[in-house]
């Protein structure tokens, strides 16, 4: 079977309430069979957020393939095509194998002592001259839990900076924010097993077929089995997911909140609210009901460009079942009024009491394999263990755990988000920026500005990665890292499942694990507690995991019942997992109890319209007993609608064949052949209007820049263009040796820096553009 053509493999249909049948996917290097494999080493997927368990095949010290693990709760043996083939990137000949430092304007190879001494020396100099506010760390959603926690401790407790965030800011900051706004705390309420029981599955801006293919296989097997669920899909594109929908709603870009408010209106107006559940377990219903009272399906139809009857049909699906599963992803998170919209999905479940039961749950999905760890370890805009930066008692807990003065953690405001860090660098306030396992010179919006910031002579840039990247071109020091299969650690997927990934082979050359790099830096900085002892006492992954367990104890993401041995024997396990419940917790909030009490909550909430944080006193007055919160928000039109200069909407997104900026998948022959170049999707009417046919080269232009791409004519709604964001410049040289670099390929050349007011996540999906035929290069 050619899995690049048959993307989801053969069906194994099953009925509701029965186990999902196993199907083991396997891919080995040419000429090898399972009998030729010398060792199978347990791990899980790195190239998406689903957390599919697999075993790495090893022969003669090399990775030679992968096999899905049939007994794991997440995937029952199945693998995404990126996992089947992606392991080949580890052996790519252009891996970074030695540290580099900039000398005379060029990066030159050096040894680890020189590289880390240079980094630590510059950091000490910046601290002496400018203080901790001049130091920043920008990390990933692809490291291991043990590495994030180590980075958090050295940055927040050791350096004392507030400037630490992950590239999860770009993909799932809204997921965490929406969960906090509704339930008082981060953490997915639902479980993938809810698919096995659902009567209705609602996919809100979530092209699951391409973003989480194995979860889509589970959905497809339900759809092909007895008594299949209904499928509701919200997406402006005719994706593979949408083609299977019972109801496909394709609204105008930027109108998600209007549509969701209309669905809430219809649930309330038709008497489908579970008032007993709402009275017992929520606050905020009167305001929500009042604010959506005018949001009828007819009102939303004019805004969204949808028939009012289709909106009513969708509301009937949602309101007519006791087993509703919702998933949410970038079509909501990266769009206009992102947090406000994601919260309304939570509201639909709260109004119907659809939480904490088999087949009744919501999954505010993640986009990266360890995005959940970034958030729970505090390597993003929150404190570790889902603690509340505005609660002095939570800050004191961390200070006591780390044996530091609480004032080190008190910055008078929330931790700094990624785009603010780059703004601070732009002004010259940030002097030192350490970038690990992410590629902002392709992934951030307004790339001309980002390149200008990274090139500032007063900004010292450290880049820690496994390959040369577009960001690495701006580095003062490059640190070569080990990757998946070359180190040991844990990572947690989108439904709270923790897996252990063990070292299968040695990294190439002098490359080191991210954990060893952070520990080496911490040692050189001589970071100390208030009693003079070393701040970071762990030396390897198991001892780092033990340190994290103490930090998580008693918090929603409690890991104290887990161990490497349990994960080896039991496989994927959902937190919270305590000594009393070592095999985990399938669903949160099963009895309507939430982590929302003023003493325990992760946040006091924000105004969804403005993003303004609430005070502790305001929150206590609103929610003294820690119930779930029904938060309302009013629809506002997007600030940059199409006009004469830029008459088309532009949205960006993923393809199944690639991950992020292709640093791994672009080096895998099967995946690169399947999607070698950037393309633009448009409707037939828009193509005809611009004199274009399928396969023509076209230029997309916005107020920020231009991109050249091949035209694909699809059933996308008229007036909308789609551009995948994966393509950068590492494999895209100039036309001639003496030509300047071409900057006409990356989607983010076109996107403005505009943030959701609550989550501070960039709005990638509501730009405007014009389209024209491309003139051939001369």
């Amino acid at each position: 079977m050619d899995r690049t053509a048959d993307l989801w493999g053969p069906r194994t249909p099953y009925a509701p309430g029965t186990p999902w049948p196993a199907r083991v996917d396997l891919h080995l290097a040419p000429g090898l069979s399972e009998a030729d494999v010398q060792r199978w080493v347990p791990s899980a997927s790195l190239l998406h957020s689903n957390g599919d368990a697999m075993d790495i095949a090893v022969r003669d010290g090399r990775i030679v393939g992968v096999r899905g693990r049939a007994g794991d709760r997440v995937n029952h043996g199945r693998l995404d095509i990126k996992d089947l083939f992606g392991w080949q990137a580890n052996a790519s000949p252009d891996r970074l194998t030695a540290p580099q430092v900039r000398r005379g304007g060029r990066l030159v190879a050096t040894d680890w002592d020189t590289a880390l001494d240079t980094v630590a020396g510059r950091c000490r100099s910046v601290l002496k001259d400018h203080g901790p506010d001049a130091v920043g760390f920008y990390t990933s959603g692809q490291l291991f839990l043990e590495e994030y926690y180590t980075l958090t401790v050295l940055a927040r407790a050791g350096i004392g900076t507030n400037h630490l965030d992950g590239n999860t800011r770009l993909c799932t900051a809204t997921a965490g924010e929406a969960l906090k706004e509704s339930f008082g705390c981060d953490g997915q309420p639902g479980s993938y097993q809810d698919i096995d029981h659902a009567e209705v599955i609602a996919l809100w801006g979530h092209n699951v077929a391409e973003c989480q293919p194995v979860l889509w296989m589970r959905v497809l097997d339900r759809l092909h089995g007895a008594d299949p669920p209904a499928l509701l899909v919200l997406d402006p594109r005719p994706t593979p997911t949408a083609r299977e929908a019972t109801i496909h709603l394709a609204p105008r870009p930027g109108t998600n909140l209007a549509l969701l408010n209309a669905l809430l209106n219809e649930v309330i107006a038709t008497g489908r609210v579970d008032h007993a559940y709402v009275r017992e377990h929520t606050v905020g219903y009167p305001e929500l009901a009042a604010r959506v009272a005018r949001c009828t399906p007819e009102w939303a139809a004019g805004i969204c460009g949808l028939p009012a009857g289709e909106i009513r049909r969708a509301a009937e699906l949602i309101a007519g079942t006791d087993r509703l599963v919702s998933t949410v992803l970038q079509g909501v998170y990266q769009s206009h009024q992102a947090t406000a919209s994601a919260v309304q999905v939570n509201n639909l479940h709260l109004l119907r009491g659809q939480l904490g039961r088999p087949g009744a749950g919501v999954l505010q999905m993640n986009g990266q394999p360890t995005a959940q760890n970034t958030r729970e370890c505090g390597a993003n805009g929150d404190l570790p263990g889902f603690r509340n930066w505005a609660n002095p008692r939570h800050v004191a807990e961390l200070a006591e755990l780390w044996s530091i003065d609480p004032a080190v953690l008190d910055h008078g405001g929330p931790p700094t988000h990624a785009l603010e860090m780059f703004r601070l660098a732009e002004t010259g306030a940030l002097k030192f920026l350490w970038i690990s396992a992410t590629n902002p010179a392709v992934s951030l919006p307004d790339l001309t500005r980002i390149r200008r910031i990274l090139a500032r002579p007063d900004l010292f840039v450290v880049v820690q990665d496994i390959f040369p990247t577009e960001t690495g071109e701006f580095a003062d020091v490059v640190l070569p890292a080990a990757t998946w299969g070359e180190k040991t650690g844990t990572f947690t997927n989108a439904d709270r499942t923790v897996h252990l990934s063990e070292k299968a082979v040695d990294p190439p050359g002098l490359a080191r694990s991210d954990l060893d790099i952070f520990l080496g830096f911490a040692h050189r900085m001589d970071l100390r507690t208030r009693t003079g002892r070393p701040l970071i006492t762990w030396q390897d992954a198991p001892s780092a995991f033990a340190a994290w367990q103490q930090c998580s104890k008693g918090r929603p993401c409690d890991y104290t019942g887990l161990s490497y041995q349990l994960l080896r024997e039991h496989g994927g396990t959902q937190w919270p997992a305590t000594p009393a419940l070592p095999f985990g917790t399938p669903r949160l909030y099963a009895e309507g109890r939430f982590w929302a009490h003023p003493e325990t909550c992760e946040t006091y909430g924000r105004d969804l319209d403005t993003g303004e944080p609430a005070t502790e006193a305001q929150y206590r007055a609103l929610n003294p007993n820690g119930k779930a919160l029904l938060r309302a928000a009013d629809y506002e039109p997007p600030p940059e609608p199409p006009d004469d200069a830029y008459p088309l909407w532009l949205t960006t997104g993923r393809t199944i064949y690639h991950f992020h900026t292709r640093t791994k998948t672009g080096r895998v022959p099967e995946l690169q052949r399947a999607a070698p170049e950037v393309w633009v999707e448009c409707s037939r009417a828009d193509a005809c209007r611009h004199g274009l046919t399928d396969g023509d080269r076209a230029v997309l232009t916005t107020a920020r820049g231009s991109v050249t791409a091949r035209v694909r004519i699809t059933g996308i709604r008229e007036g909308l263009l789609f551009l995948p964001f994966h393509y950068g410049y590492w494999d895209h040289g100039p036309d001639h040796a003496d030509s300047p670099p071409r900057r006409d390929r990356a989607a983010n050349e076109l996107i403005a820096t505009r943030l959701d007011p609550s989550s501070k996540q960039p709005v990638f999906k509501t730009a405007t553009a014009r389209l024209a035929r491309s003139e051939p290069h001369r």
Side-chain angles (χ1 to χ4, degrees):
M1 180 188 302
D2 178 8
R3 277 295 299 274
T4 60
D6 188 357
L7 295 169
W8 304 284
R11 300 277 56 77
T12 55
Y14 68 117
T18 64
W20 187 26
R23 186 196 89 195
V24 176
D25 292 345
L26 168 76
H27 180 66
L28 298 174
L32 296 184
S33 68
E34 290 182 81
D36 298 313
V37 176
Q38 295 166 340
R39 288 189 300 128
W40 292 97
V41 180
S43 184
S45 50
L46 183 69
L47 298 172
H48 50 82
S49 68
N50 210 57
D52 303 328
M54 68 181 78
D55 295 316
I56 302 171
V58 179
R59 180 178 174 85
D60 298 332
R62 296 182 303 110
I63 296 176
V64 295
V66 291
R67 179 181 65 190
R69 199 175 310 140
D72 195 85
R73 65 168 303 278
V74 171
N75 58 322
H76 295 220
R78 293 159 183 80
L79 293 176
D80 171 6
I81 60 163
K82 291 187 289 296
D83 296 319
L84 281 175
F85 301 116
W87 54 269
Q88 298 170 85
N90 281 43
S92 180
D94 62 340
R95 281 287 299 272
L96 291 171
T97 58
Q100 299 172 1
V101 295
R102 192 167 293 279
R103 297 281 186 264
R106 295 190 311 111
L107 287 169
V108 297
T110 189
D111 57 81
W112 273 106
D113 283 340
T114 299
L116 287 178
D117 286 347
T118 300
V119 173
R122 177 55 69 96
C123 188
R124 281 193 294 268
S125 174
V126 169
L127 289 171
K128 178 184 176 184
D129 294 340
H130 305 283
D133 288 345
V135 176
F137 297 86
Y138 182 48
T139 190
S140 179
Q142 299 169 57
L143 303 185
F144 287 162
L145 177 152
E146 296 81 354
E147 294 164 339
Y148 292 126
Y149 184 59
T150 301
L151 175 60
T152 295
V153 176
L154 77 83
R156 297 204 188 284
I159 303 299
T161 183
N162 205 30
H163 307 326
L164 168 62
D165 201 6
N167 66 4
T168 48
R169 184 64 53 187
L170 313 182
C171 59
T172 55
T174 298
E177 192 65 32
L179 292 166
K180 290 186 290 184
E181 293 297 335
S182 296
F183 308 119
C185 188
D186 199 344
Q188 302 292 352
S191 166
Y192 289 165
Q193 290 173 326
D194 289 331
I195 300 295
D196 305 344
H197 304 274
E199 294 175 344
V200 176
I201 300 170
L203 306 174
W204 307 97
H206 182 194
N207 181 13
V208 61
E210 298 195 70
C211 295
Q212 280 85 25
V214 170
L215 185 60
W216 181 237
M217 296 172 201
R218 196 169 196 148
V219 173
L220 283 176
D221 286 347
R222 277 295 320 275
L223 294 177
H224 284 76
D227 195 13
L231 186 64
L232 171 63
V233 174
L234 173 73
D235 197 314
R237 299 171 59 219
T239 63
T241 308
R243 288 196 287 270
E244 298 287 340
T246 309
I247 299 175
H248 173 205
L249 299 175
R252 291 189 181 105
T255 64
N256 292 335
L257 183 57
L259 174 59
L260 284 156
N261 278 349
L263 294 173
L264 289 165
N265 170 286
E266 190 71 2
V267 169
I268 294 169
T270 56
R272 305 298 187 88
V273 175
D274 184 339
H275 285 287
Y277 185 93
V278 168
R279 279 194 305 272
E280 184 70 21
H281 300 298
T282 74
V283 296
Y285 177 71
E287 181 186 356
L288 176 68
R291 289 179 70 174
V292 302
R294 67 182 183 88
C295 302
T296 64
E298 287 74 17
W299 169 85
I303 293 169
C304 302
L306 296 171
E310 285 297 281
I311 298 173
R312 282 199 167 84
R313 283 186 64 213
E316 180 59 31
L317 269 189
I318 293 165
T321 179
D322 286 326
R323 292 187 175 182
L324 169 68
V325 174
S326 286
T327 72
V328 190
L329 200 60
Q330 311 301 9
V332 172
Y333 300 161
Q334 294 180 342
S335 193
H336 179 56
Q337 296 186 288
T339 303
S341 299
V343 163
Q344 306 319 308
V345 176
N346 297 338
N347 285 346
L348 286 169
H349 281 259
L350 289 167
L351 289 184
R352 298 280 301 136
Q354 295 284 323
L355 284 174
R357 297 181 281 108
V362 62
L363 290 160
Q364 298 278 352
M365 295 292 293
N366 299 335
Q368 295 186 77
T370 61
Q372 195 65 49
N373 301 122
T374 314
R375 302 206 306 261
E376 65 200 23
C377 290
N380 69 337
D382 286 293
L383 296 183
F386 299 151
R387 289 176 173 86
N388 187 344
W389 64 265
N391 186 329
R393 293 168 293 281
H394 287 196
V395 172
E397 275 181 22
L398 280 179
E400 181 65 26
L401 176 69
W402 294 337
S403 188
I404 61 171
D405 188 326
V408 174
L409 301 175
D410 185 2
H411 298 276
T416 312
H417 63 82
L419 277 298
E420 176 64 9
M421 274 197 281
F422 278 86
R423 190 195 67 81
L424 291 171
E426 186 175 36
T427 67
L430 195 74
K431 304 290 187 181
F432 178 102
L433 180 61
W434 188 329
I435 300 168
S436 52
T438 188
N439 191 14
V442 177
S443 60
L444 288 182
D446 196 355
L447 290 181
T448 298
R449 172 175 174 258
I450 296 302
R451 288 189 291 267
R452 188 170 61 245
I453 294 170
L454 290 171
R456 285 182 64 98
D458 60 345
L459 178 66
F460 187 85
V461 177
V462 181
V463 171
Q464 179 173 316
D465 216 314
I466 65 175
F467 289 110
T469 67
E470 294 86 343
T471 303
E473 296 175 10
F474 298 93
D476 294 285
V477 176
V478 174
L479 304 176
T483 187
W484 167 96
E486 300 167 357
K487 58 183 182 178
T488 293
T490 53
F491 51 109
T492 306
N493 77 345
D495 85 333
R496 297 174 285 105
T497 300
V498 185
H499 284 106
L500 175 65
S501 180
E502 305 217 47
K503 181 179 178 179
V505 299
D506 290 329
L510 300 179
R512 293 181 177 179
S513 74
D514 298 276
L515 177 61
D516 285 342
I517 295 171
F518 293 145
L519 290 174
F521 171 74
H523 173 73
R524 282 167 172 79
M525 294 297 293
D526 194 26
L527 304 176
R528 298 280 169 170
T529 67
R530 62 188 170 198
T531 61
R533 295 184 177 184
L535 175 67
I536 295 176
T537 57
W538 50 94
Q539 297 297 327
D540 55 19
S543 55
F545 184 78
W548 161 248
Q549 286 179 297
Q550 291 306 304
C551 185
S552 73
K553 185 177 182 179
R555 294 302 298 163
C557 51
D558 195 323
Y559 278 64
T560 54
L562 296 177
S563 67
Y564 279 19
Q565 191 58 36
L566 183 147
L567 294 171
R568 288 185 184 108
E569 295 172 356
H570 184 254
T573 303
Q574 291 173 283
W575 63 249
T578 63
L581 293 169
F583 299 115
T585 307
R587 297 168 187 87
L588 303 183
Y589 316 136
E591 297 177 358
R593 291 199 291 266
F594 304 93
W595 282 88
H597 191 277
E599 294 297 330
T600 59
C601 65
E602 187 180 0
T603 180
Y604 298 134
R606 293 177 180 271
D607 184 302
L608 295 182
D609 297 317
T610 67
E612 185 68 23
T615 65
E616 180 179 357
Q618 289 170 326
Y619 186 82
R620 286 185 180 276
L622 172 68
N623 195 21
N625 299 312
K627 297 183 178 183
L629 300 104
L630 292 163
R631 293 192 181 273
D634 296 325
Y635 167 74
E636 295 289 342
E640 187 182 309
D643 57 20
D644 291 342
Y646 305 106
L648 300 169
W649 287 107
L650 170 64
T651 186
T652 66
R654 299 176 186 262
T655 175
I656 192 171
Y657 300 106
H658 286 303
F659 183 63
H660 280 206
T661 62
R662 297 168 51 255
T663 49
K664 300 180 189 73
T665 55
R667 291 170 165 92
V668 176
E670 294 86 346
L671 302 176
Q672 181 61 7
R673 282 196 300 268
E677 267 296 342
V678 66
W679 72 91
V680 57
E681 291 181 20
C682 68
S683 70
R684 186 165 300 279
D686 288 323
C688 291
R689 192 172 296 117
H690 293 86
L692 295 166
T693 59
D694 209 60
D696 286 348
R697 290 181 66 81
V699 177
L700 292 76
T701 302
T702 73
R704 270 70 58 186
S706 296
V707 165
T708 302
R710 294 281 181 191
V711 172
R712 288 187 186 178
I713 297 175
T714 72
I716 195 169
R717 71 173 292 145
E718 188 174 346
L720 175 64
L721 306 174
F722 169 81
L723 195 67
F725 68 78
H726 307 286
Y727 297 88
Y729 303 106
W730 63 265
D731 61 342
H732 186 65
D735 294 323
H736 306 287
D738 56 351
S739 299
R742 289 168 57 188
R743 303 298 186 191
D744 63 347
R745 195 186 194 201
N748 287 322
E749 304 286 358
L750 310 180
I751 304 300
T753 301
R754 186 165 68 84
L755 307 181
D756 179 75
S758 296
S759 68
K760 311 305 180 186
Q761 181 161 344
V763 180
F764 290 103
K765 292 187 179 290
T766 51
T768 56
R770 63 174 179 261
L771 187 66
R773 179 183 293 277
S774 172
E775 296 298 327
H777 290 291
R778 298 186 184 278

